[in-house]
Amino acid sequence: MTGFHGGELAVQRQAGVRQDAARLSRMLEPADLSGGIAGFLAARTLLVITGRDATGRLWTSPLTGPAGFLEVRSDTELAVHAGVPAGDPLHGLTAGQHLGTTSMDFALRRRVRLNGTLTVATDELLIVDVEQAYGNCPQFIQQRLLTPATSSHETPEEVRRGAAFQPADVEVIRSADTFFLGTAHPQRGADASHRGGPPGFVRVDEQGLWWPDYPGNNMFNSLGNLAVSPAAALLFTDFTTGATLQLSGTARIEWGAAGRPGDDGHSGRIVRFELDRLVAARRPALRESAHRPYPHNPALTDREDRSR
């Protein structure tokens, strides 16, 4: 299946960007991993995946390894020489399901999304039959140099599971300048996308957490999925301490007047997330050695939330 699905088209129309998005529809044509994408993936040390656990719950997880742990084997096959470690909610990931992935080069502010079907899943190897592969714009990527993982089998430390935020979780969220969003469409499959902004761009209040949706490429892959299915998974990582926070729940788009308090990107859209389950841990492999904020991060527009 190619082209935009009904949810994406609906959000594009409501945002008034249907014609702009139509110009990018060729990006959704069948995948071709030859050429530049293969070289890009070969140098990466981090892959973020979105999939479902044994109960069908959606999660987004980080996989790490030395350069070369992502191997393009054909125009449509990606081999990931790493398994999901024990302690991660996607440990025991089963083959046959849709898998969404994003690979990042934070230093050069580049990212590639690859979505497809997981055909092999072991403790040391994942193989994905890729159906979509395309790059995304460099907007809102905070530059960082990441120390390569010393092992692809490092088990998360201090794993805590729950259904409500602890103060430490709120601190991770409010200090984050980056997170990953997992969504899924019943027929088209799972998707993993990147979100970035200044620290504090993700707010936490009595209703849950929310963030402004900044203007982007107008494809609305993630929000289009949410328009069809509210299942959502978030991954926050503190690249300094190695703390990770994985959230699973539901999300919805809230439309309103552009530029209202909290609508930092003046898009008229915020996304609200309601938590069902969380997993908090530390991952020794995820560390940064240098960091530079994206120079065009929007300013926070609600002082109340900024000060919380």
Side-chain angles (χ1 to χ4, degrees):
M1 294 179 286
T2 60
F4 294 112
H5 61 64
E8 292 164 333
L9 293 172
V11 177
Q12 291 166 11
R13 283 193 292 269
Q14 189 158 356
V17 296
R18 179 70 192 95
Q19 291 185 338
D20 293 332
R23 301 187 184 101
L24 303 176
S25 61
R26 292 189 61 185
M27 294 173 64
L28 302 180
E29 292 180 353
D32 180 0
L33 302 183
S34 63
I37 288 183
F40 175 84
L41 294 173
R44 303 281 66 77
T45 60
L46 170 67
L47 181 73
V48 175
I49 67 171
T50 296
R52 296 186 183 273
D53 65 14
T55 70
R57 179 173 293 281
L58 199 70
W59 294 96
T60 295
S61 298
L63 299 181
T64 59
F69 93 110
L70 302 179
E71 177 194 5
V72 172
R73 292 185 169 177
S74 75
D75 289 351
T76 59
E77 185 176 273
L78 174 68
V80 182
H81 295 278
V84 181
D88 188 285
L90 287 181
H91 178 66
L93 189 69
T94 57
Q97 65 170 287
H98 295 297
L99 198 73
T101 78
T102 288
S103 184
M104 302 285 300
D105 183 338
F106 285 101
L108 295 181
R109 296 178 42 234
R110 296 179 60 197
R111 51 187 163 178
V112 169
R113 286 158 88 161
L114 303 98
N115 301 331
T117 301
L118 183 65
T119 59
V120 173
T122 73
D123 289 341
E124 299 181 349
L125 177 68
L126 304 177
I127 295 181
V128 184
D129 181 15
V130 179
E131 297 154 13
Q132 292 181 337
Y134 53 92
N136 282 150
C137 67
Q139 291 189 93
F140 311 116
I141 298 178
Q142 322 303 320
Q143 287 184 296
R144 31 180 50 100
L145 293 177
L146 295 182
T147 302
T150 57
S151 168
S152 61
H153 302 286
E154 290 186 275
T155 301
E157 301 173 352
E158 307 172 22
V159 178
R160 170 172 51 84
R161 303 174 188 276
F165 293 124
Q166 298 294 322
D169 305 328
V170 175
E171 178 60 27
V172 168
I173 294 169
R174 288 178 171 164
S175 62
D177 63 13
T178 297
F179 75 95
F180 293 90
L181 171 63
T183 60
H185 184 277
Q187 287 78 44
R188 295 293 185 92
D191 182 82
S193 67
H194 160 274
R195 294 290 188 271
F201 83 109
V202 183
R203 281 75 161 182
V204 183
D205 59 23
E206 61 279 357
Q207 299 180 54
L209 63 84
W210 59 275
W211 64 91
D213 185 56
Y214 298 155
N217 59 18
N218 296 322
M219 294 172 69
F220 292 113
N221 303 129
S222 297
L223 299 197
N225 285 348
L226 292 177
V228 175
S229 171
L234 279 61
L235 167 65
F236 291 89
T237 295
D238 185 325
F239 292 99
T240 302
T241 67
T244 60
L245 183 63
Q246 292 164 273
L247 311 179
S248 182
T250 57
R252 72 182 191 277
I253 311 164
E254 187 175 286
W255 299 84
R260 68 192 187 280
D263 179 26
D264 306 334
H266 292 258
S267 71
R269 301 178 300 273
I270 66 171
V271 181
R272 289 195 175 271
F273 175 84
E274 184 175 346
L275 176 70
D276 289 333
R277 297 287 187 274
L278 68 80
V279 176
R282 291 189 181 275
R283 296 175 183 266
L286 297 175
R287 291 292 192 276
E288 71 177 21
S289 56
H291 172 247
R292 178 186 298 170
Y294 179 64
H296 304 298
N297 282 329
L300 304 182
T301 57
D302 52 342
R303 291 182 177 276
E304 180 182 0
D305 274 293
R306 193 193 316 204
S307 64
R308 288 182 182 180

